Amino acid sequence: MAVAAAIAVGLMASLTLSGGPAMASAGYRAYAEKLVGNLPTGAKARPDLEAYIAELTNHYRRSQKRAPLEIAKTATIAARAQAVDMLKGDFVGHQSASGYRFGQRVAAFVGETEAASENAARDRLPGEADRRKAARLFQQWVDSTGHRRNMLSNDLAEISVGVIQSGNHIYAVQIFWKKRATEGGLSAFRSW
């Protein structure tokens, strides 16, 4: 399929995080904030497409009899930073160009989670970087078993989306998570 060949879609990263945030989380947070604050020449964040992709996700969840996710800004910087890394490094994936793994990246912005997952993709086909292109990129996730599983998981409650545009190309990342339940400030799932 020509569209599938032209749009590289990242492999699904899905994992359950346990324990506290990784030691590298603080380092990643600083790295991500710097990366997003100093975008490559000609690149820009697209909050309009981020909101649109989040809306598409919840519309798709409702169509599949799933509750909508809470759209949160909590991990937007992390999602945008991964999109920038993918743009700069010409890749699609779930480890930052500087070596931070997904678990470290999400912990830096979200903290402790019961579950977290991520979808990453890019669309470098000709045409305007608009809602139509974002919808085409989103459809690639729907058509992929692993990405679709992330979007429809009942184990996740929130979503942040990052979209970076460079020319007519867009790089998009969805981060999904469910916060770890706590009791009196302590993790309800902690084992002693």
Side-chain angles (χ1 to χ4, degrees), residues 65-99:
K65 309 289 190 250
R66 303 294 199 290
L69 299 168
E70 180 182 334
I71 300 170
K73 300 292 183 190
T74 310
T76 300
I77 297 296
R80 286 179 182 168
Q82 186 63 14
V84 173
D85 263 342
M86 294 184 328
L87 163 67
K88 289 175 69 174
D90 192 29
F91 74 95
V92 174
H94 303 287
Q95 182 167 312
S96 75
S98 58

Side-chain angles (χ1 to χ4, degrees), residues 10 44 48 58 67 85 96 110 125 132 148 154 164 176 185:
K44 63 182 177 180
D48 59 320
N58 277 336
D85 263 342
S96 75
V110 175
L125 288 171
R132 185 174 154 199
R148 183 175 57 251
N154 287 322
I164 299 295
F176 308 93

Side-chain angles (χ1 to χ4, degrees), residues 4-166:
I7 299 174
V9 178
L11 296 174
M12 179 259 325
S14 181
L15 61 140
T16 299
L17 302 172
S18 60
M23 293 294 287
S25 295
Y28 178 72
R29 187 176 188 106
Y31 169 82
E33 289 170 347
K34 182 177 179 183
L35 193 60
V36 172
N38 187 26
L39 295 175
T41 303
K44 63 182 177 180
R46 289 293 303 270
D48 59 320
L49 296 183
E50 292 166 353
Y52 181 58
I53 288 173
E55 290 169 18
L56 287 173
T57 304
N58 277 336
H59 176 75
Y60 181 61
R61 285 179 62 88
R62 282 186 206 94
S63 77
Q64 301 299 307
K65 309 289 190 250
R66 303 294 199 290
L69 299 168
E70 180 182 334
I71 300 170
K73 300 292 183 190
T74 310
T76 300
I77 297 296
R80 286 179 182 168
Q82 186 63 14
V84 173
D85 263 342
M86 294 184 328
L87 163 67
K88 289 175 69 174
D90 192 29
F91 74 95
V92 174
H94 303 287
Q95 182 167 312
S96 75
S98 58
Y100 291 99
R101 295 179 316 277
F102 173 67
Q104 294 169 315
R105 294 188 299 105
V106 75
F109 287 88
V110 175
E112 291 189 43
T113 63
E114 285 186 36
S117 60
E118 175 178 68
N119 289 341
R122 66 183 174 195
D123 184 325
R124 301 189 299 180
L125 288 171
E128 293 295 315
D130 57 10
R131 288 168 68 104
R132 185 174 154 199
K133 184 170 278 207
R136 183 172 61 209
L137 181 145
F138 178 81
Q139 188 61 45
Q140 291 294 310
W141 285 329
V142 170
D143 293 342
S144 163
T145 302
H147 295 95
R148 183 175 57 251
R149 184 180 317 119
N150 284 345
M151 290 191 293
L152 295 177
S153 174
N154 287 322
D155 295 331
L156 303 164
E158 299 183 57
I159 181 176
S160 287
V161 179
V163 177
I164 299 295
Q165 176 186 344
S166 180

